[in-house]
Amino acid sequence: IEQTSNSSFIKKLKSTGRSLVVFYGSQTGTAEEFAGRIAKEGARYKMKGMVADPEECDMADLVEMKEIQKSLAIFCIATYGEGDPTDNAMDFYEWLQNGDADLEGLNYAVFGLGNKTYEHYNEIAIYIDQRLEELGATRVHEIGLGDDDANIEDDFVSWKEKLWESVCSHYGIEETGEESN
Ligand code: FMN
């Protein structure tokens, strides 16, 4: 799984025949690791994936996702502090708050990473999930809320299994049995 090094994740998706991009908002690496696992598993469903750091990407390019057939953007997003985004998701968060991009045709799903002992439980992931829908994007699978106070790995794995079921029925695809790309 490669990481974007330039600003255009769309160009990279197109030039490498990929249809799945998994963004992460991560401070200590958990969300980034989860993103990598999803991107890799995409190959099982004929969806070649890549991981991308929103800080390195021009997120306004999300409007162009609709130009890629059966494309999907997944967001693995941690919440910190008083319900703050991670440093690398700050610009994306502000872009969502202040902008009014037309995201019709963008298919997406969100997994949140948080901890129930905090007052602002998973707040950023919940915001992003709702805001993307408000901007016209299509939620392919309902948001998953990972709780680090219990077992976030279990939360992630059960969400991910259901995610692929939703993806398969949404796009009319079947599992290929291929393990990775
Ligand atoms: N989780 C929440 O749901 N809300 C919070 O406000 C919140 N604040 C946190 C503050 C600190 C200092 C730490 C260490 C964790 C906090 N968490 C909070 C839990 C993290 O979001 C959770 O551990 C997550 O898995 C971290 O993901 P990452 O490793 O990708 O950064």
Side-chain angles (χ1 to χ4, degrees):
I1 304 300
E2 288 173 63
Q3 199 127 344
T4 47
S5 53
N6 65 25
S7 60
S8 183
F9 68 89
I10 282 287
K11 267 190 201 146
K12 177 148 184 190
L13 285 168
K14 286 179 178 168
S15 67
T16 57
R18 288 174 161 86
S19 55
L20 167 67
V21 57
V22 190
F23 295 102
Y24 59 88
S26 189
Q27 206 83 348
T28 59
T30 322
E32 184 175 2
E33 192 225 308
F34 287 179
R37 287 161 67 184
I38 294 174
K40 205 173 167 191
E41 279 185 22
R44 290 187 197 161
Y45 308 92
K46 300 195 182 93
M47 292 187 121
K48 252 180 104 178
M50 65 182 245
V51 168
D53 180 347
E55 197 173 31
E56 314 257 302
C57 294
D58 186 353
M59 296 304 278
D61 284 355
L62 282 172
V63 299
E64 291 176 40
M65 279 293 280
K66 59 175 180 285
E67 294 166 16
I68 300 172
Q69 272 212 348
K70 296 186 177 181
S71 62
L72 175 64
I74 293 182
F75 300 86
C76 293
I77 302 291
T79 296
Y80 274 87
E82 310 283 306
D84 298 321
T86 58
D87 294 339
N88 80 314
M90 186 62 83
D91 291 350
F92 174 48
Y93 179 64
E94 285 174 0
W95 177 77
L96 282 175
Q97 280 187 314
N98 302 327
D100 60 349
D102 178 4
L103 296 182
E104 204 183 322
L106 169 68
N107 300 306
Y108 77 95
V110 176
F111 183 79
L113 294 87
N115 182 312
K116 268 217 175 79
T117 63
Y118 289 89
E119 190 187 337
H120 301 273
Y121 179 56
N122 261 311
E123 216 166 84
I124 298 300
I126 292 167
Y127 174 80
I128 289 175
D129 183 60
Q130 287 173 350
R131 184 67 180 147
L132 290 171
E133 183 181 51
E134 246 173 54
L135 295 173
T138 301
R139 185 186 294 111
V140 166
H141 187 64
E142 73 184 55
I143 187 171
L145 299 182
D147 179 13
D148 205 20
D149 189 44
N151 192 327
I152 201 165
E153 168 69 20
D154 286 354
D155 294 339
F156 175 63
V157 168
S158 18
W159 178 80
K160 186 161 63 67
E161 279 167 16
K162 294 270 178 7
L163 164 76
W164 292 124
E165 285 174 22
S166 294
V167 166
C168 286
S169 69
H170 185 88
Y171 298 95
I173 49 180
E174 281 169 30
E175 193 170 346
T176 64
E178 212 176 305
E179 273 302 311
S180 71
N181 52 2

